[in-house]
Amino acid sequence: MGCVSFSRQTLERIQSGEILNGLRDSKKIPEPKRLTLRKEILEYASFWHVSFVSANYIDKFNINQAIFYGINRALPKHLTDFRRSENQSVMGSNASKIPQKNTTEISETGNGNDWEGPKTNSLPNKPFLFLDGNYKLKVQTPIAGYLSIPKGDDLVPSISAASILAKTYRDEYMEKMDGKYPGYGFAKHKGYGTEEHREALRKLGISPIHRLSFCDFLRREGSEPSLFSA
């Protein structure tokens, strides 16, 4: 789950085409272009945070609760979480590591990982959240309000930027997991439910990072997935 805030001035530069050309739904952008845009997003964002919810959390609470949990973790908790002062902060959140000047922080918990930018004492006024999808949230201070926008990651610059950060960080995590759990093809399919991924599960069983809810097709097929014990 990604969250990005741009200042009003930065949004004007984006809309004029001066910076961040090509912002749109991350899935529609070629990988090299996504990585180029990520560098620019990290440079121009007033605030950014990416949260990654674990497979265990999703299995325990279901995917919708995991989305709400990830959104809550990605949102700023204090006005001082913003890096640049601005008249109004407009954030985008997408409903999933390259260090920035050696100040990026990564925190790991049993429920997932977080990547976030540095924090300084800049005070925006009434930050407002644009959310990709059609969700109903209970927003808390400092968030003044929110608007859910179906297909927002293809329409709103801050949501597009959030989707790019979420996808690129998650893809890199899956590439790392490909080395830890070889044979599943994580570096290629990035964890998506391709037939190649399903076939690897049939042969190898379930790894510790797989969602049991995703692997339920093995039970329906009569397989016994137990290569790795919990």
Side-chain angles (χ1 to χ4, degrees):
M1 196 72 59
C3 180
V4 171
S5 173
F6 291 121
S7 69
R8 185 188 300 275
Q9 293 81 4
T10 298
L11 284 171
E12 290 173 353
R13 295 178 68 190
I14 293 172
Q15 292 167 350
S16 71
E18 180 182 348
I19 59 174
L20 290 169
N21 283 301
L23 276 182
R24 60 183 308 192
D25 178 357
S26 62
K27 298 185 294 297
K28 299 178 181 179
I29 303 173
E31 182 177 8
K33 178 64 173 178
R34 283 199 300 265
L35 294 174
T36 297
L37 284 170
R38 180 173 74 173
K39 292 180 180 178
E40 293 186 59
I41 292 166
L42 299 184
E43 177 181 356
Y44 291 110
S46 301
F47 170 90
W48 68 270
H49 190 116
V50 174
S51 64
F52 175 41
V53 181
S54 71
N56 289 337
Y57 190 98
I58 297 172
D59 283 333
K60 183 176 181 179
F61 296 104
N62 74 49
I63 189 66
N64 283 331
Q65 292 304 313
I67 289 172
F68 296 142
Y69 176 67
I71 291 172
N72 183 64
R73 277 172 54 171
L75 292 176
K77 302 300 185 292
H78 307 283
L79 293 179
T80 53
D81 287 347
F82 293 87
R83 293 207 322 253
R84 297 188 180 95
S85 59
E86 47 195 309
N87 294 326
Q88 183 179 21
S89 178
V90 181
M91 291 175 291
S93 180
N94 177 266
S96 60
K97 172 186 170 197
I98 291 181
Q100 182 182 5
K101 300 179 182 178
N102 297 320
T103 53
T104 300
E105 300 177 3
I106 293 184
S107 60
E108 298 187 13
T109 70
N111 294 329
N113 303 333
D114 288 86
W115 296 260
E116 62 183 348
K119 302 170 182 176
T120 61
N121 295 323
S122 297
L123 298 175
N125 181 34
K126 295 183 179 180
F128 189 89
L129 175 68
F130 286 133
L131 183 67
D132 180 41
N134 189 26
Y135 298 105
K136 293 183 179 180
L137 303 176
K138 291 182 179 180
V139 295
Q140 299 177 348
T141 304
I143 309 302
Y146 78 96
L147 177 65
S148 290
I149 305 174
K151 301 185 183 300
D153 52 359
D154 222 7
L155 301 171
V156 180
S158 55
I159 301 180
S160 301
S163 76
I164 290 169
L165 293 191
K167 180 164 178 56
T168 54
Y169 279 111
R170 182 184 181 278
D171 285 355
E172 288 177 353
Y173 173 79
M174 297 310 299
E175 290 168 4
K176 181 180 178 181
M177 292 300 99
D178 187 66
K180 188 172 183 179
Y181 303 108
Y184 290 97
F186 290 133
K188 182 177 181 181
H189 55 65
K190 303 298 192 294
Y192 291 104
T194 64
E195 183 54 34
E196 179 184 3
H197 189 182
R198 293 173 184 270
E199 184 59 31
L201 281 163
R202 294 184 185 102
K203 293 179 179 179
L204 300 176
I206 302 173
S207 81
I209 64 170
H210 277 102
R211 287 189 289 115
L212 296 181
S213 50
F214 168 71
C215 300
D216 190 56
F217 74 92
L218 293 170
R219 180 187 58 80
R220 296 194 300 270
E221 294 176 355
S223 303
E224 296 293 335
S226 58
L227 179 63
F228 296 97
S229 58

